[in-house]
Amino acid sequence: VGCDRSKNLVDICGEKHFQAFVCDALSVPIRSGSCDACISIAVIHHFSTVERRLATIRELVRLLRPGGKALIYVWAMEQEYKNQKSKYLKEKNGSKNKDKEMSTGIAQRLLCDSGPDNSSQDSAWSDQLLNDLKDESCGAKPVADLRLPVHTNRTSFHSQDLLVPWHLKGGTKKKEERVDTVLVPGGSKELQELSPVFHRYYHVFCEGELEAVCRSLDCVRVQKSYYDQGNWCVILEKL
């Protein structure tokens, strides 16, 4: 049985005849102790505070029967580990990816130069979020202002807490849908229309961080902690 916050993704599961439903990882509508195993892939790194990330793992453990196991994957700060680049960095080559990187860089500069035009609500949200950051834990550079840095795709991370661009591919745009329009580099006033870009929040984990969060729960035993292609992974067992 699968679950996801996105109704569209759950609908795809239904089309493929899999069982899935929409829910929040912080509150899963399944009876406690009813699962032999749980898998959480690329979910916990989207929660913006230590407390919420811990609560998500605690909810995952709640679902397990005693002796049940959970597998957790989160994005790693270390995209180059033991002198080996992750698949994420290796896929940088290729003209399509280079085009994406160029447009992402333009969008990043536009966002960083937006200045005081940001709403006070957004600034307050970012200010509160930055109070929860712990960049010093693995040598990441502290954020200089009240805005989260925007990551350039297929490059190494320079901050644990950041926004990652998501380029919407294909499909026809409705008239009311906003399309990002940015300045072409080189000082030209000509405007260039790009595909819609959405920014998703990520907290990338340093070595040992996910394991430490799991070990803070007294009802679990960490069976294995390892690195896999740019991800930190933990297998834990409910006591």
Side-chain angles (χ1 to χ4, degrees):
V1 177
C3 57
D4 197 281
R5 182 77 186 212
S6 167
K7 181 181 182 299
N8 288 342
L9 292 179
V10 169
D11 287 344
I12 292 173
C13 291
E15 292 169 2
K16 296 179 179 293
H17 307 293
F18 295 123
Q19 296 183 73
F21 58 90
V22 176
C23 81
D24 191 316
L26 289 169
S27 182
V28 181
I30 293 179
R31 187 177 69 251
S32 299
S34 59
C35 298
D36 295 312
C38 293
I39 299 175
S40 173
I41 304 292
V43 173
I44 295 172
H45 56 214
H46 288 299
F47 288 96
S48 62
T49 66
V50 175
E51 291 77 15
R52 287 167 69 81
R53 293 190 285 271
L54 177 61
T56 310
I57 297 174
R58 184 180 288 113
E59 178 69 355
L60 197 66
V61 172
R62 178 188 69 79
L63 305 176
L64 294 172
R65 62 166 175 77
K69 298 179 181 179
L71 170 66
I72 302 173
Y73 265 62
V74 294
W75 215 353
M77 177 82 178
E78 302 85 352
Q79 288 298 306
E80 189 166 345
Y81 187 67
K82 295 183 177 179
N83 297 321
Q84 294 289 325
K85 289 185 177 181
S86 69
K87 184 179 179 182
Y88 175 72
L89 292 184
K90 287 179 180 178
E91 288 181 350
K92 181 177 181 179
N93 296 325
S95 58
K96 291 184 179 179
N97 284 328
K98 289 180 180 178
D99 291 341
K100 286 183 183 179
E101 288 164 22
M102 184 183 74
S103 61
T104 300
I106 298 169
Q108 178 178 354
R109 288 193 295 275
L110 184 69
L111 186 69
C112 292
D113 293 339
S114 58
D117 292 335
N118 290 338
S119 69
S120 58
Q121 182 179 1
D122 287 343
S123 296
W125 178 86
S126 295
D127 193 16
Q128 179 62 44
L129 181 61
L130 287 170
N131 288 333
D132 296 320
L133 305 187
K134 299 186 181 296
D135 282 357
E136 297 83 0
S137 61
C138 60
K141 296 178 182 178
V143 179
D145 58 22
L146 296 181
R147 291 164 294 185
L148 288 172
V150 179
H151 178 62
T152 300
N153 288 331
R154 308 297 172 184
T155 65
S156 298
F157 296 115
H158 301 291
S159 173
Q160 272 194 275
D161 295 84
L162 40 80
L163 299 175
V164 176
W166 175 270
H167 297 257
L168 188 63
K169 296 180 181 179
T172 56
K173 304 180 187 68
K174 297 178 182 178
K175 289 183 179 179
E176 65 271 16
E177 285 183 341
R178 185 180 70 84
V179 176
D180 285 339
T181 304
V182 301
L183 288 174
V184 173
S188 170
K189 293 184 179 180
E190 179 185 357
L191 294 178
Q192 179 181 1
E193 188 175 83
L194 302 175
S195 298
V197 179
F198 300 92
H199 293 89
R200 298 184 296 170
Y201 170 84
Y202 280 81
H203 171 85
V204 291
F205 281 68
C206 293
E207 183 173 7
E209 183 179 354
L210 176 61
E211 182 178 354
V213 175
C214 292
R215 290 189 186 280
S216 69
L217 299 173
D218 55 10
C219 57
V220 304
R221 177 173 67 90
V222 174
Q223 282 195 338
K224 188 178 181 181
S225 178
Y226 60 98
Y227 180 89
D228 180 24
Q229 285 296 334
N231 298 280
W232 285 113
C233 322
V234 161
I235 298 176
L236 55 82
E237 179 183 6
K238 184 174 183 179
L239 302 176

